[in-house]
Amino acid sequence: MPTTEQRRAHYDTFVTRVVDLCAIKPIRNDLRSGRGRPVEECDRMQPHLIRHIAGHGARRAHYTTASLIALHRDLETPYTPRRPAQHTATPPGPGDGPTAPQAAPDGQDRPTPAVGTEGQDHPNQTGPESTATPISPEHAAARQWRTRPNLGTSLALAVHRHGFDAPRMTDRLRLLTRLSTSQLHPRLWSLTTHLNARDAARLDFAVLLEDLTWWDDDRPQITTRWRESYFLTLHAHTPDEDH
């Protein structure tokens, strides 16, 4: 059973492989054909993706992510998403404190919770001078992952850097957070197409892939992160931020 760190390494590797595949126009067209549809309706995608997904489960999450990547032209590897110039870290959600492992879809581990919630990773208060609590490599990696832009961050950047209307984007985000998997994936296709019209869809696809993988199990925590990152990024924006 893969660890959280191994799964996240797979997500990054998968994105890189799809970007490389998209350099071949006929393959990119095949990957675009998915449009967020169920896997059973994505016959053209299967020959290109199956060997990169085998053993990792969450097939629809992988297929949808690949179709969103294929909307772009001329992506380079290593792929780099757009980030705030002064990055706003994703705040931990209500389910991000350390919890006991639970079973995951297709036999995977659940994601390692983010750290930094109240009462965690704070200096010890047992002596007159507090000392920092050691942070394990696993928690450090989880914290670093949570600093990467999720969908909420990317939508806020679309508002500030590409002129999208903030109230409409806020409404879009609120709608997405209420959707089931079957409704969410086609909406993400439509949203990414909309963002691409102004070159605003350079998402962190690996982070999005993890969120889609766990949507049915951890939607309240995922959507809380999206909303909080969106509003924090809006408020943290400065007019002279690099484009």
Side-chain angles (χ1 to χ4, degrees):
M1 184 177 295
T3 66
T4 297
E5 186 174 357
Q6 289 170 336
R7 286 187 301 96
R8 287 174 172 170
H10 159 72
Y11 298 147
D12 278 322
T13 299
F14 178 77
V15 170
T16 297
R17 287 173 174 167
V18 173
V19 171
D20 287 340
L21 287 172
C22 288
I24 304 170
K25 186 176 180 180
I27 296 179
R28 182 165 64 85
N29 289 339
D30 285 344
L31 297 181
R32 288 185 63 178
S33 70
R35 297 176 177 267
R37 297 183 177 124
V39 173
E40 295 77 14
E41 300 176 17
C42 299
D43 291 348
R44 290 173 58 186
M45 302 181 72
Q46 189 176 41
H48 310 299
L49 298 182
I50 188 62
R51 64 191 178 96
H52 302 306
I53 297 175
H56 293 280
R59 289 184 300 157
R60 186 168 187 180
H62 284 81
Y63 275 52
T64 292
T65 301
S67 71
L68 299 182
I69 295 171
L71 282 171
H72 296 263
R73 295 178 183 272
D74 303 321
L75 293 181
E76 73 287 345
T77 53
Y79 173 74
T80 54
R82 289 207 173 96
R83 301 171 181 264
Q86 296 180 342
H87 185 69
T88 303
T90 303
D96 285 338
T99 57
Q102 299 180 35
D106 303 307
Q108 301 176 35
D109 289 339
R110 294 174 65 84
T112 296
V115 298
T117 53
E118 184 177 358
Q120 299 163 17
D121 297 330
H122 282 246
N124 293 325
Q125 303 297 328
T126 56
E129 294 185 3
S130 61
T131 57
T133 302
I135 299 176
S136 69
E138 293 79 8
H139 278 184
R143 176 175 291 173
Q144 179 61 33
W145 180 268
R146 286 289 179 241
T147 68
R148 294 171 59 169
N150 61 35
L151 184 65
T153 305
S154 297
L155 296 185
L157 293 180
V159 171
H160 284 305
R161 295 181 178 176
H162 301 278
F164 286 90
D165 182 72
R168 290 184 180 180
M169 192 63 77
T170 301
D171 288 342
R172 279 178 176 267
L173 177 61
R174 286 173 174 160
L175 174 62
L176 292 174
T177 61
R178 295 195 297 264
L179 298 178
S180 65
T181 291
S182 62
Q183 297 170 315
L184 175 67
H185 287 234
R187 288 275 187 173
L188 287 175
W189 169 269
S190 300
L191 173 63
T192 307
T193 302
H194 181 58
L195 295 176
N196 259 313
R198 302 186 194 177
D199 190 32
R202 290 184 66 93
L203 313 178
D204 192 323
F205 292 108
V207 172
L208 179 62
L209 175 53
E210 180 179 66
D211 288 344
L212 295 182
T213 296
W214 293 97
W215 190 258
D216 289 332
D217 298 88
D218 290 324
R219 183 170 64 178
Q221 288 73 33
I222 295 167
T223 57
T224 296
R225 286 197 301 269
W226 286 8
R227 289 191 299 265
E228 290 182 347
S229 295
Y230 175 77
F231 290 113
L232 283 173
T233 303
L234 284 181
H235 293 311
H237 173 75
T238 56
D240 60 346
E241 182 177 43
D242 293 337
H243 287 236

